[in-house]
Amino acid sequence: MKFLLYLPFFIAFQLLGEWLKSELSLPIPAATLGMFMLLLFLFLIPENKNLTDSAQRLILHLPLFFIPAGVGIMSYTEILKHDSLALSVAVVGSTIVSFILAAWVTQKLVSKELASESESGSSTTQKEVRLK
Amino acid sequence: MIKEYVATYPSLLILLTLLIYGIGLALYRWGNKTVFLLPVVSGIAMTIGSLVYFDIDYSHYFDSVKIIHFLLGTATVALAVPLRNNFHLIREHAFPLTISLAIFSVLTPSLAVLSAWIFGAEQGVLLSLAPKSISTPFAIAVAESIGGYPPLVAAIVIITGAIVAIVASTVFKVFSIQHPIAQGFSMGMTGHGIATATAFEMSVTVGTFSALAMGLMGLSTSICLPYLVNWLFL
């Protein structure tokens, strides 16, 4: 039930995002602005277990919240049919290729960084050994 | 007859959506979490099926279930909490993540546009494909500014996210991507919010990096893409 008590907290930041967007007429979505504002706020307060639990419950049900927007595809079947071959190649093919490349490159970059860290780590232990 | 009931009691559509989501979750568990039964995919498909069957149009449906759509914004705001709790991980890997982001905010839209151009799509469709890997509100704003078709963009973005969500675990197995940071970051960079929902099912770390990548990709693409389009088409 604590979850329901924390819901207004997130809605308040959502509202702050909407207010910022219209006041500053920014092209960035209101929810993203709200997320960044909440992130800044969270750096000012200590870690709160109830808040973390409530956020996790809300995030767990993201698939439900996508349904209203996702069902919108049904209005665009005509346009989807029109350039269907090019669209399916671009959407299915290029998405999978980009995704594989993104996963592979990021893994290479991250593991390279981890490797160089452990190298520098070993050099500090060597220094310590030398100091002894 | 059902159409008239729905017109008088719009909350029936909220009930319908929640029931479908419940069925979707049950199916997903029953099918041992196979990717083809992902709740986001089955939920959208079953809802479209029921709306077509009962002859209810989309605008009426959307107006009735606005409260559920509103919570999408609330859940997006709540993504700040795992970001904050895992911020030390993000800061530790700031360098490789920045490079990866810089590469893919150019490469992903270029690849999509190039492949559709080879298969002869018209310019409006090409421009609608460019913002396909960023979350819907960003993508629509970008499409408007570069001259794509916003309704088509919304459809493409959702399908893209669903594809990434479906292929993710297979890709990680086949290409042995074991690092949770690489898994999450690539899912968020190519599959925005829909893939992020799936990433949180894998683990909180994967989900956090997916959420981070989604936010950063949205920002960087909306800044870079208009320039890239000018350079490609003029």
Side-chain angles (χ1 to χ4, degrees), chain A residues 14 29 35 38 42-43 47 52 59 61 67-68 70 72 76 83 90 94-95 99 101-103 106-107 109 113-114, chain B residues 21 47 58 70 73-74 77 80 84-85 92-93 96 100 104 112 115 122 125 132 138 151 176-179 186 190 200:
Chain A
Q14 190 179 2
M35 186 185 93
L38 177 58
L42 290 174
F43 279 108
E47 202 173 313
T52 306
I59 293 164
H61 293 294
I67 294 176
Y76 311 124
D83 266 321
S94 90
T95 299
F99 177 55
L101 284 175
T106 312
Q107 170 141 303
L109 287 166
E113 183 205 43
L114 290 178
Chain B
Y21 178 62
T47 310
Y58 177 64
F70 173 81
T74 316
V77 170
R84 167 65 187 100
N85 294 345
E92 273 166 32
H93 302 286
S100 173
F104 288 98
S115 55
E122 52 145 324
V125 171
K132 81 183 175 61
F138 273 117
S176 58
I177 311 293
Q178 291 120 349
H179 207 293
S186 57
T190 29
F200 269 104

Side-chain angles (χ1 to χ4, degrees), chain B:
Chain B
M1 200 181 72
I2 287 194
K3 203 180 174 185
E4 284 147 31
Y5 271 125
V6 163
T8 333
Y9 305 107
S11 33
L12 272 176
L13 290 172
I14 299 179
L15 188 66
L16 174 83
T17 310
L18 290 173
L19 279 176
I20 285 177
Y21 178 62
I23 294 170
L25 282 182
L27 276 176
Y28 187 53
R29 263 170 224 156
W30 171 79
N32 274 329
K33 305 206 166 186
T34 80
V35 285
F36 296 101
L37 291 173
L38 274 179
V40 68
V41 180
S42 70
I44 292 170
M46 285 192 280
T47 310
I48 292 178
S50 338
L51 294 187
V52 171
Y53 183 75
F54 295 126
D55 189 29
I56 300 159
D57 51 79
Y58 177 64
S59 58
H60 178 67
Y61 171 76
F62 189 78
D63 284 343
S64 312
V65 298
K66 254 194 181 141
I67 176 80
I68 300 176
H69 183 66
F70 173 81
L71 289 171
L72 176 60
T74 316
T76 308
V77 170
L79 287 173
V81 175
L83 276 184
R84 167 65 187 100
N85 294 345
N86 292 286
F87 199 76
H88 61 283
L89 282 176
I90 295 164
R91 212 173 42 188
E92 273 166 32
H93 302 286
F95 180 68
L97 297 186
T98 312
I99 295 195
S100 173
L101 187 76
I103 297 172
F104 288 98
S105 59
V106 176
L107 195 70
T108 305
S110 311
L111 209 59
V113 173
L114 195 71
S115 55
W117 178 75
I118 291 170
F119 284 87
E122 52 145 324
Q123 187 170 326
V125 171
L126 293 181
L127 292 173
S128 308
L129 278 165
K132 81 183 175 61
S133 275
I134 57 178
S135 57
T136 324
F138 273 117
I140 288 174
V142 172
E144 279 166 352
S145 75
I146 63 176
Y149 308 131
L152 180 62
V153 173
I156 291 173
V157 165
I158 288 159
I159 296 170
T160 301
I163 291 171
V164 173
I166 287 173
V167 301
S169 51
T170 314
V171 165
F172 295 154
K173 227 174 273 164
V174 173
F175 294 89
S176 58
I177 311 293
Q178 291 120 349
H179 207 293
I181 294 175
Q183 292 182 343
F185 211 69
S186 57
M187 284 178 84
M189 275 200 301
T190 29
H192 58 89
I194 292 182
T196 300
T198 313
F200 269 104
E201 276 174 18
M202 295 178 168
S203 80
V204 179
T205 315
V206 177
T208 301
F209 278 91
S210 186
L212 171 78
M214 171 182 89
L216 294 177
M217 190 73 174
L219 280 174
S220 68
T221 306
S222 48
I223 296 164
C224 299
L225 205 59
Y227 292 100
L228 192 70
V229 166
N230 274 344
W231 177 73
L232 279 173
F233 288 92
L234 295 179

